[in-house]
Amino acid sequence: MRFGWMLLFVIGCAHAQTDLIIGELSFDSAPPTAAILFVRDPEAAINQLQIDQKDRQFSQFMNAGSSGAVINFLNSDSARHNLYANSYSTGTRFDVGLIPPGKSVTLALSWPEDSIVRVGCAIHTNMETYIANIRSAHYQLLPFKRWGEKGGLDDYGGSEFEEQTVKQAEIRLRQVPADKTTLTLLIPYYQPLTFELKVGESKTLDVMRDGAKRGSLTVKRS
């Protein structure tokens, strides 16, 4: 019986060694499309990816994978799509060709770690998603631009969408290992922001682009 209580105590202590990170990412003027905040962990498992397309939109505004992952681009739409990327900052360029309805193509995630690549559709120019290459089991995708259905039809016979923009996004990262204290904020076309955050600390950091402050990141760890 005593051994059983000791085992429960050890398990309880192991579960207790996690933290909660809360906060807000806000922008002074026009926000980006999306951002990702993650806890750096070189030992984390590789994140594999499946990205779907339906109603002439990607299933997610942003995705996170890891070097060595295979991205599966699935087309659940009634229309064909032609996905491509052309990122000068990461030296990434690809064109997967036409994907008929109900089909899929795969692609290796090969761009540098801690970077983001934009993926678009050569046929439907309003379609876009971002893929971050990170090594982490604890991250949060933060949207700032969303697409809402207008109710009309576009030139291809599908639904029309309009863009909706917000300037703030709430941060809530749960069950973060207590020994993982380095975080990174990645935003398309912005300078990466890497910082330390230990339990009990609160920080407000400037978010920079082209040498100018564009927003603020406020975080607290408990």
Side-chain angles (χ1 to χ4, degrees):
M1 180 64 72
R2 183 179 178 184
F3 175 77
W5 279 109
M6 290 179 63
L7 181 60
L8 288 173
F9 176 78
V10 171
I11 292 173
C13 288
H15 283 296
Q17 300 303 306
T18 60
D19 301 335
L20 170 67
I21 298 174
I22 61 173
E24 183 182 78
L25 176 60
S26 61
F27 290 87
D28 302 327
S29 56
T33 299
I36 180 170
L37 179 68
F38 65 96
V39 180
R40 303 181 70 87
D41 184 0
E43 299 175 355
I46 293 176
N47 295 328
Q48 304 290 347
L49 288 176
Q50 177 164 293
I51 300 174
D52 203 354
Q53 302 151 86
K54 193 173 183 180
D55 296 329
R56 293 162 180 79
Q57 292 295 314
F58 287 101
S59 57
Q60 290 182 261
F61 61 90
M62 181 180 270
N63 304 267
S66 308
S67 294
V70 174
I71 308 169
N72 183 38
F73 290 107
L74 178 65
N75 184 4
S76 296
D77 213 338
S78 58
R80 296 182 299 174
H81 294 293
N82 188 167
L83 306 187
Y84 73 96
N86 189 7
S87 171
Y88 294 101
S89 62
T90 65
T92 302
R93 188 172 185 176
F94 64 78
D95 186 330
V96 303
L98 288 175
I99 311 175
K103 301 295 183 180
S104 65
V105 297
T106 58
L107 179 76
L109 198 164
S110 58
W111 48 91
E113 196 166 289
D114 297 343
S115 68
I116 297 174
V117 165
R118 177 190 179 275
V119 179
C121 177
I123 301 174
H124 308 97
T125 56
N126 67 314
M127 289 179 59
E128 67 174 359
T129 190
Y130 291 85
I131 304 177
N133 181 356
I134 64 170
R135 201 62 178 265
S136 175
H138 299 86
Y139 61 88
Q140 184 177 352
L141 304 171
L142 304 166
F144 290 92
K145 292 185 180 181
R146 306 180 179 92
W147 291 94
E149 190 169 341
K150 293 171 65 175
L153 297 177
D154 62 19
D155 293 338
Y156 300 93
S159 299
E160 284 188 316
F161 296 86
E162 64 180 349
E163 189 179 86
Q164 301 171 339
T165 302
V166 295
K167 292 185 179 181
Q168 300 86 24
E170 181 183 1
I171 293 166
R172 185 168 291 270
L173 281 171
R174 298 180 175 88
Q175 297 184 334
V176 178
D179 63 335
K180 306 299 181 185
T181 60
T182 305
L183 286 81
T184 295
L185 175 69
L186 290 181
I187 307 173
Y189 315 116
Y190 278 65
Q191 298 165 224
L193 177 60
T194 298
F195 59 96
E196 292 290 320
L197 188 68
K198 298 178 181 179
V199 65
E201 287 187 331
S202 299
K203 290 187 177 181
T204 297
L205 304 166
D206 293 341
V207 177
M208 308 291 290
R209 180 179 179 182
D210 299 329
K213 178 180 177 293
R214 302 301 177 92
S216 298
L217 172 67
T218 301
V219 285
K220 177 180 179 181
R221 185 166 188 157
S222 58

